[in-house]
Amino acid sequence: MKKFMKKTFYLYLLFFTQICFSQIPVESYRNEISSLKSIDEVSIYWDKLLDIDQNVLLNEKELIKKDSISTSLMIRTILMFEYQNEHTFKLYKIAPVMNMAHCNNSNSAKLFWPIIEKYKVVINQIMKNYPAYPLESISLIYYGYSLLDQDKIYDRLIYKLQSTYSNEDLVLKLIESHNNFKTTHSLKLRKSIYKWQYQPFKDKKEEGFFEFVKMSDGKWYRRTNYGILQKINLISKKDEFKFYQIEGEPFGWIYKLGKNGSLSLLDNDEILIEYTRIN
């Protein structure tokens, strides 16, 4: 019986993955979530979403397919809070927090922040680390920069985040974000200028890199070694430096690029990281 149930579950995961990649069936999600009637049914559904996160999303390597699965999980979480609010508050499941932590689409992670904010009391009862963990997720997804032990700036960053989003039509905005992700990641590489070591801490480098690339749409992007693209905009020039900002980024941080390939991440005049060029 257990073997049968396990086989059935993984067949479901495979079916779910195939559906996510071809389309995001929001109305089907609305119907199945609104039909949950008991605490047990709601609990089982949360567990199902977490299983998909752990056993499907984290094992998927193809970027567009992975973003489709991630977007679907975020949408289902939003609908769970919409239709099962009272039941959800009694359960304290970690699936909503994982939605953001395992998202590779920085714009979608930012869009999801209102859900984190709205249910921060529940999240803190789950993990005891609001806002540190979700803020860390945002910072790493956008900039590859860690906020570890920087509690003093949390309130300022949350204030900035709150000014960048709207609670309206989150489901539609997430679908739009996914479609934009697909469009961006179908572009072809035209030019790469510099490459830098991945460095989330001032005093510690880690495996991986990122680079500035020009794609087939004629725009410039920050690209990680995993192939994730974020559009960057030239906002000013001064002396021998160019200043770039990731499009839609929430904290106001900018990159300072020198003619020799030097690169720093700045918060106003404060240098957060000085990167090591590796080519």
Side-chain angles (χ1 to χ4, degrees):
M1 183 66 177
K2 288 184 178 179
K3 288 184 179 179
F4 173 77
M5 291 178 66
K6 187 174 182 180
K7 182 178 180 181
T8 302
F9 175 72
Y10 283 105
L11 285 173
Y12 169 82
L13 291 184
L14 178 61
F15 174 69
F16 174 85
T17 304
Q18 291 171 339
I19 287 178
C20 284
F21 190 46
S22 60
Q23 59 182 340
I24 299 177
V26 176
E27 290 309 310
S28 294
Y29 295 158
R30 287 187 186 277
N31 291 335
E32 65 185 24
I33 290 170
S34 63
S35 68
L36 301 173
K37 300 302 181 185
S38 69
I39 291 288
D40 286 343
E41 288 178 348
V42 173
S43 180
I44 290 169
Y45 199 89
W46 275 127
D47 289 341
K48 182 191 298 184
L49 297 187
L50 185 60
D51 280 329
I52 292 167
D53 174 90
Q54 298 292 305
N55 296 310
V56 178
L57 180 65
L58 292 183
N59 292 322
E60 180 58 57
K61 304 301 181 186
E62 204 283 320
L63 287 177
I64 296 176
K65 192 172 183 179
K66 186 170 187 173
D67 191 61
S68 179
I69 298 168
S70 176
T71 304
S72 294
L73 286 171
M74 286 183 166
I75 288 172
R76 293 170 94 176
T77 291
I78 291 168
L79 296 176
M80 282 290 279
F81 283 128
E82 180 179 337
Y83 288 103
Q84 301 294 339
N85 193 49
E86 182 179 351
H87 291 167
T88 293
F89 264 86
K90 296 177 181 178
L91 294 174
Y92 308 135
K93 300 291 185 176
I94 69 170
V97 183
M98 295 300 100
N99 286 161
M100 176 179 287
H102 296 153
C103 176
N104 287 327
N105 184 335
S106 54
N107 183 63
S108 292
K110 184 181 69 174
L111 287 171
F112 196 72
W113 184 262
I115 300 301
I116 300 295
E117 269 294 294
K118 190 172 183 180
Y119 299 99
K120 60 187 177 184
V121 173
V122 177
I123 289 168
N124 213 31
Q125 288 176 324
I126 300 167
M127 303 184 73
K128 308 296 183 184
N129 60 2
Y130 172 89
Y133 190 84
L135 266 182
E136 174 83 347
S137 298
I138 288 284
S139 188
L140 287 173
I141 291 166
Y142 260 101
Y143 317 95
Y145 178 76
S146 176
L147 295 172
L148 184 66
D149 297 328
Q150 299 193 56
D151 308 41
K152 292 181 179 180
I153 66 172
Y154 287 169
D155 288 344
R156 175 165 61 90
L157 297 183
I158 290 172
Y159 177 79
K160 289 186 175 183
L161 263 173
Q162 290 172 335
S163 68
T164 66
Y165 65 70
S166 167
N167 283 300
E168 298 178 2
D169 298 322
L170 278 182
V171 170
L172 292 179
K173 288 180 181 295
L174 282 170
I175 292 174
E176 181 183 3
S177 180
H178 171 60
N179 289 335
N180 290 338
F181 189 89
K182 286 195 294 184
T183 299
T184 296
H185 287 79
S186 66
L187 297 171
K188 304 299 181 184
L189 177 66
R190 291 291 179 258
K191 183 181 180 181
S192 173
I193 51 171
Y194 298 113
K195 185 182 295 184
W196 299 274
Q197 184 76 38
Y198 178 66
Q199 187 175 344
F201 305 96
K202 285 186 177 182
D203 57 351
K204 182 181 177 182
K205 300 180 178 69
E206 295 188 359
E207 289 186 11
F209 65 85
F210 67 96
E211 57 189 332
F212 285 0
V213 297
K214 191 174 187 178
M215 302 300 288
S216 53
D217 63 349
K219 308 297 184 182
W220 285 95
Y221 293 82
R222 175 185 182 270
R223 186 173 72 167
T224 70
N225 56 293
Y226 294 110
I228 298 168
L229 292 163
Q230 296 167 289
K231 186 180 177 184
I232 55 175
N233 297 316
L234 179 64
I235 58 172
S236 66
K237 296 180 182 181
K238 185 177 180 181
D239 300 327
E240 296 186 351
F241 295 96
K242 293 181 179 180
F243 296 86
Y244 289 91
Q245 193 166 42
I246 297 172
E247 186 165 277
E249 61 82 38
F251 297 155
W253 298 347
I254 61 175
Y255 289 108
K256 179 182 179 182
L257 175 65
K259 283 188 175 181
N260 62 352
S262 64
L263 187 74
S264 302
L265 180 65
L266 306 179
D267 179 7
N268 293 319
D269 294 327
E270 179 188 356
I271 298 175
L272 300 177
I273 295 287
E274 289 184 300
Y275 295 102
T276 300
R277 181 181 165 187
I278 57 177
N279 79 330

